[in-house]
Amino acid sequence: MDISGKKGMPAKLYQYGALLLLSIWLVAGSLRTQGKKEEIRSFDSYVVSGEEAKELLSGKEEGDLLSKKEAGLVLNGCEVPLDKKKKVFYISQPLAEAEWQGNLTAYGGELCIQEDGYVKKMPEAIAEGHVFDALLCTEDMYQAIGIVITGMPVVSIDTEREEPQEYPVEDIDNYVFNSETRCYGEITIFQSGDTARPEDGSGEGDGYQILRRKVCYHERGQNSALFGKKSYAVKLLDHKEKGVSESLFGMRQSRDWKLLAMYSDPNKVRDKVSMELWEEIAEREESFNERGPEMEYCEVILDGQYMGLYGMMLPVDEDTLELGREDILYKVLDWYMPEEVDIQASVDQNYEVCYPVRIRYPKKDGSVEKLWKPLRDYFSCKYWHLDFNAYSDMTYTENLADYYIFIQTVSGFDNYLKNTYICAKKTGDAEGYRMLTIPWDLNYTFGNCYDYDPEKNYTAFNPDTGVNYVEPVLEQLFRSSLQGEAEILKERWKDYRCDILSEGHITELLQDNMDYLQKTGAFARDTEEWEGALNSSDLTEVKGYVEGRMRYLDEYFGNF
């Protein structure tokens, strides 16, 4: 090759550069070759016959390698979650994949999995919750273990320390709501197959993903405190214990998450299906953002104890609703609304709380009076000095119609006065705001309602499909229809009934989620772990309720 005529570079230097590039290419090729030769160990590569297992045990004594952390299993460099009492490891694998995902290795001993009829029938093993008998063997000792392959993501939390929280009463928001003991440690989240999909939820799952972060968590929820299986608020942290946002299970990035125990729902599908329905309604609206919470299922091991089936929920916040600096987000916690003097008292004390309302965004910067003003104006025309024209002017009527239709459809026992977010969106006017209503906490739906009997998990099923779950003042707004609200309501009901709110679609969502819970083996494990939860995979009752409910609502909305 003639290089003497190359411009801008001396010939010798060009030759050295070419040789350097060639050397880099050869080294890279060598590394690629070495990478291909690296052995990736799958589950079945450790399977041994019964005779081979007996030979391995010959001359060895049974020991307790696990309690001293002298041995264990590792998947892609991360320790596999272990139920210490049962000595069972939980490994997440995708339901749809035929091939094993992830590099499975052992430390502190040789892993041997005893051959049985399920080794070649992994889908059946996953669905039936089969526990594979296995051994961790050293030269003179062995540890008997079990291995469960689950088709669901696994979340493992290890607590390192607890810190009681103390706030002065002047800091009323933290004093009342954030005073729980904080637990700090590490969280490891195993995602595979579809659960490892991109943040935007598009496309297929991207191989095997394991996320390991520092974590801060605490118990949450009024009813959760009554149960052995708790719900938790979770904050992801970096190595300096500062909040860090991550995408989980294809949901958008956030540092703040909720682990819902779903203990009071025997079918474990009500929260999920309700959120899915609201998401479909919100996605159809293009004029404003009314997105709500999102949730995906997972199994949780907390400090070496299998805790069962949970919902990892992304709550509503300023990012969900794409709020600007002048927008305000309120959270309504209980059944009643405050009086005007109550809010004035919070203004006087410079409080971000006027129970049952909390200001969630933005954080106060000086006086809170301007943060309370939109809600005061809203409550004034809605409750204190009823004015339907002002009420309608201060809201997005389409959003109120969506909320009305949704709450009636899912029979939101706990949502027609409480468990809502109210968002004040700044308009072009100097002091103008328009209000959006967003649902959350959707466990008491599809016929389930609160019951005072603890033996029933404070839950009862009301088969009466003719009960109205709507705030009276909201119903009155649409029935009075001073600005054509009734027509908007009927048009949207007619639109949604064609697809989103058809009986077939709702019952399909219920069944699809139940099928997933069963095929992953998670529902059976949760049922075994929490007998008092009275779990039931039979959806006959709730499907019948949906069909009766929609017949009732066709007549109800048709009469507007």
Side-chain angles (χ1 to χ4, degrees):
M1 179 174 63
D2 183 10
I3 61 171
S4 58
K6 297 290 181 182
K7 295 182 179 180
M9 183 182 293
K12 287 186 178 181
L13 183 58
Y14 188 91
Q15 287 177 316
Y16 292 150
L19 287 171
L20 178 60
L21 289 172
L22 177 62
S23 299
I24 293 173
W25 181 82
L26 289 172
V27 170
S30 174
L31 290 173
R32 286 196 296 270
T33 303
Q34 292 175 16
K36 291 180 180 179
K37 290 182 179 179
E38 182 182 352
E39 184 179 12
I40 303 297
R41 299 296 301 271
S42 64
F43 181 85
D44 56 8
S45 68
Y46 292 99
V47 174
V48 299
S49 66
E51 290 300 318
E52 290 172 319
K54 288 181 181 179
E55 291 180 12
L56 286 169
L57 293 177
S58 179
K60 294 182 174 62
E61 294 183 0
E62 183 172 10
D64 190 6
L65 302 174
L66 297 180
S67 63
K68 300 178 182 179
K69 292 190 175 182
E70 295 177 357
L73 302 183
V74 174
L75 189 69
N76 286 1
C78 292
E79 289 203 42
V80 175
L82 166 68
D83 185 307
K84 296 176 182 178
K85 184 177 180 180
K86 299 176 183 176
K87 295 180 173 57
V88 173
F89 290 89
Y90 293 84
I91 303 178
S92 174
Q93 286 291 296
L95 282 174
E97 297 294 330
E99 296 184 0
W100 178 269
Q101 290 195 6
N103 185 22
L104 179 63
T105 58
Y107 66 90
E110 179 183 357
L111 173 62
C112 302
I113 301 170
Q114 188 165 320
E115 184 178 23
D116 61 24
Y118 283 94
V119 170
K120 300 299 182 182
K121 298 189 300 181
M122 195 58 72
E124 290 86 345
I126 291 174
E128 296 176 26
H130 179 68
V131 182
F132 291 94
D133 292 325
L135 301 167
L136 286 169
C137 299
T138 66
E139 291 185 1
D140 55 2
M141 192 177 296
Y142 74 91
Q143 169 79 69
I145 62 172
I147 299 176
V148 167
I149 312 299
T150 173
M152 188 175 285
V154 174
V155 175
S156 178
I157 300 176
D158 293 302
T159 307
E160 296 172 356
R161 72 181 192 277
E162 296 182 357
E163 293 186 2
Q165 303 295 295
E166 295 183 5
Y167 299 97
V169 70
E170 291 78 17
D171 186 4
I172 191 68
D173 189 67
N174 282 317
Y175 180 83
V176 175
F177 296 104
N178 295 326
S179 57
E180 302 92 340
T181 295
R182 293 309 198 257
C183 300
Y184 289 83
E186 186 174 81
I187 186 170
T188 309
I189 302 173
F190 297 79
Q191 307 172 80
S192 60
D194 287 341
T195 66
R197 64 189 183 276
E199 179 185 343
D200 62 6
S202 64
E204 301 294 330
D206 184 19
Y208 206 105
Q209 297 181 6
I210 303 177
L211 177 72
R212 181 191 292 169
R213 291 288 181 268
K214 294 289 187 179
V215 70
C216 173
Y217 72 93
H218 62 89
E219 293 181 15
R220 68 169 297 275
Q222 294 177 347
N223 282 348
S224 178
L226 304 173
F227 306 131
K229 183 184 181 185
K230 308 295 185 183
S231 292
Y232 300 98
V234 174
K235 178 176 287 188
L236 303 178
L237 308 174
D238 62 16
H239 67 285
K240 295 182 179 180
E241 296 193 347
K242 301 295 183 182
V244 59
S245 294
E246 299 287 355
S247 171
L248 303 181
F249 314 150
M251 295 181 278
R252 71 163 172 79
Q253 289 190 349
S254 179
R255 66 180 187 178
D256 296 310
W257 300 83
K258 312 294 183 185
L259 278 171
L260 305 185
M262 302 178 291
Y263 193 85
S264 61
D265 178 11
N267 305 123
K268 305 294 183 280
V269 295
R270 284 173 168 81
D271 281 288
K272 184 71 159 57
V273 171
S274 297
M275 291 183 204
E276 288 175 337
L277 288 173
W278 179 259
E279 183 178 10
E280 291 183 82
I281 290 172
E283 285 178 347
R284 187 162 293 183
E285 179 53 59
E286 298 179 354
S287 301
F288 50 83
N289 182 347
E290 58 179 354
R291 297 294 295 271
E294 300 177 59
M295 191 190 93
E296 296 294 342
Y297 292 114
C298 62
E299 291 181 89
V300 173
I301 290 88
L302 175 60
D303 292 330
Q305 178 182 355
Y306 176 77
M307 297 296 293
L309 174 65
Y310 275 79
M312 180 69 81
M313 188 185 79
L314 178 63
V316 174
D317 60 16
E318 62 272 20
D319 293 324
T320 307
L321 298 172
E322 301 173 311
L323 301 186
R325 289 184 297 176
E326 294 187 89
D327 300 328
I328 306 167
L329 183 62
Y330 309 93
K331 189 175 185 179
V332 182
L333 305 170
D334 217 330
W335 292 93
Y336 60 92
M337 293 298 113
E339 297 293 334
E340 191 167 7
V341 293
D342 299 323
I343 291 184
Q344 183 60 50
S346 289
V347 170
D348 294 341
Q349 296 294 324
N350 209 34
Y351 286 168
E352 296 169 277
V353 176
C354 181
Y355 196 85
V357 182
R358 299 175 68 190
I359 297 174
R360 302 303 290 137
Y361 173 86
K363 297 298 182 185
K364 69 178 180 181
D365 182 14
S367 173
V368 297
E369 184 171 9
K370 64 180 180 179
L371 301 181
W372 281 114
K373 187 178 187 309
L375 194 73
R376 293 177 77 165
D377 294 342
Y378 183 54
F379 282 177
S380 178
C381 62
K382 184 179 179 181
Y383 299 120
W384 307 332
H385 313 287
L386 186 58
D387 182 340
F388 284 130
N389 278 312
Y391 181 14
S392 185
D393 289 341
M394 202 174 175
T395 60
Y396 292 87
T397 305
E398 293 81 2
N399 166 255
L400 287 184
D402 286 348
Y403 191 81
Y404 193 167
I405 291 168
F406 171 78
I407 290 302
Q408 284 283 65
T409 297
V410 302
S411 301
F413 174 87
D414 227 10
N415 300 90
Y416 67 91
L417 274 177
K418 61 181 285 194
N419 292 343
T420 59
Y421 286 94
I422 299 174
C423 172
K425 291 287 292 181
K426 188 74 173 67
T427 66
D429 300 335
E431 295 186 9
Y433 283 88
R434 295 181 75 183
M435 315 302 273
L436 288 163
T437 303
I438 311 293
W440 62 278
D441 197 356
L442 294 156
N443 58 320
Y444 286 124
T445 48
F446 296 109
N448 271 12
C449 56
Y450 187 82
D451 189 288
Y452 289 95
D453 188 350
E455 293 186 2
K456 296 180 180 179
N457 299 329
Y458 302 94
T459 303
F461 181 79
N462 183 1
D464 185 355
T465 58
V467 178
N468 285 328
Y469 298 93
V470 58
E471 191 178 12
V473 68
L474 180 59
E475 182 175 27
Q476 292 168 27
L477 171 70
F478 280 92
R479 289 203 180 277
S480 65
S481 194
L482 298 179
Q483 300 185 33
E485 291 86 355
E487 292 305 314
I488 293 174
L489 182 69
K490 288 192 290 185
E491 185 62 32
R492 290 174 99 82
W493 170 254
K494 182 180 178 181
D495 180 32
Y496 298 149
R497 279 291 278 139
C498 294
D499 44 30
I500 296 174
L501 299 184
S502 67
E503 290 93 337
H505 181 61
I506 297 172
T507 55
E508 183 180 30
L509 286 178
L510 289 165
Q511 190 61 58
D512 286 348
N513 279 282
M514 180 54 72
D515 289 346
Y516 175 72
L517 296 181
Q518 291 185 299
K519 289 178 181 178
T520 58
F523 192 88
R525 280 188 289 276
D526 189 86
T527 301
E528 181 180 359
E529 188 70 27
W530 301 102
E531 293 182 3
L534 308 175
N535 286 1
S536 172
S537 60
D538 186 356
L539 296 179
T540 303
E541 190 174 52
V542 67
K543 286 182 178 180
Y545 180 89
V546 169
E547 293 172 359
R549 182 65 175 171
M550 301 313 283
R551 286 194 300 268
Y552 166 76
L553 292 180
D554 279 331
E555 181 179 356
Y556 175 85
F557 286 116
N559 289 330
F560 268 82

